[in-house]
Amino acid sequence: QSVLTQPPSTSGTPGQRVTISCSGSSSNIGGNYVYWYQHLPGTAPNLLIHTNNQRPSGVPDRFSGSKSGTSASLAISGLRSEDEGDYYCATWDDSLRGHVFGTGTQVTVL
Amino acid sequence: EVQLVESGGGLVRPGGSLRLSCVVSGFTFSSNDMHWVRQRPGKGLEWVSGVSTVGDTYYADSVRGRFTISRENAKSSLYLQMNSLRGEDTAVYYCTGGMSGWVYWGQGTLVTVSS
């Protein structure tokens, strides 16, 4: 299992705001940047957030990231049906000397 | 247009070997750290290995000693030599890279380890 813990699932209706948490430790989130990836069925993963809270060009501002201490969060506002999929946090772990992904959160749009 | 095209996947018996390749175009390969990420059936994303622009290599504990990552900048290519394969290595393997986060991804190549 991963050293980064996410809730297995979350859901919302179109237009709602959902948040996904990512809990780690001082050896990973606490001392390194956090990234968020979206993985939709049948596609390659897509970078949503880099450097804790920065959006790559082309990513809608409905997606926002934050970090505090050893935890991070991804918020999706104005939820849309095309947002259904899996979301992963990721960072470097100083103890493992490697990158780690979170356990993943499945987002369902009701 | 950025393209990362993986190849080399397939069916292999436990204990066997495979070499994955990823050919990159559309961005400056030599300026980017590159990585392999996999997704086992029904599971989440798992970082497997990475190689820096200067050739430093990193491995997940689950593959260290069995897998070897390498790059050939002249050919804009990334490789993953996988030896002593196990059933739990069955997965879709993605090639990925980028300077601020992994913004570039291939479509993945399926590796199935089964007798």
Side-chain angles (χ1 to χ4, degrees), chain B residues 8 15 19 37 43 52-53 58 60 71 77 84 92 98 109-110 112:
Chain B
R19 189 193 195 210
V37 170
K43 303 296 184 182
S52 73
T53 56
Y58 306 89
R71 65 189 301 160
S77 293
S84 302
V92 174
T109 186
L110 176 63
T112 303

Side-chain angles (χ1 to χ4, degrees), chain B residues 60-72:
Chain B
D61 287 345
S62 57
V63 307
R64 186 175 291 113
R66 300 186 299 122
F67 291 10
T68 303
I69 191 171
S70 61
R71 65 189 301 160
E72 191 170 358

Side-chain angles (χ1 to χ4, degrees), chain B residues 37-59:
Chain B
V37 170
R38 70 185 179 186
Q39 184 173 38
R40 297 170 179 165
K43 303 296 184 182
L45 298 177
E46 178 188 10
W47 174 79
V48 173
S49 180
V51 57
S52 73
T53 56
V54 295
D56 296 326
T57 57
Y58 306 89
Y59 299 93

Side-chain angles (χ1 to χ4, degrees), chain A residues 36-57:
Chain A
W36 288 91
Y37 296 88
Q38 175 192 59
H39 194 193
L40 305 180
T43 69
N46 179 45
L47 177 66
L48 286 178
I49 298 289
H50 68 85
T51 325
N52 299 334
N53 55 18
Q54 302 298 303
R55 279 185 309 277
S57 62

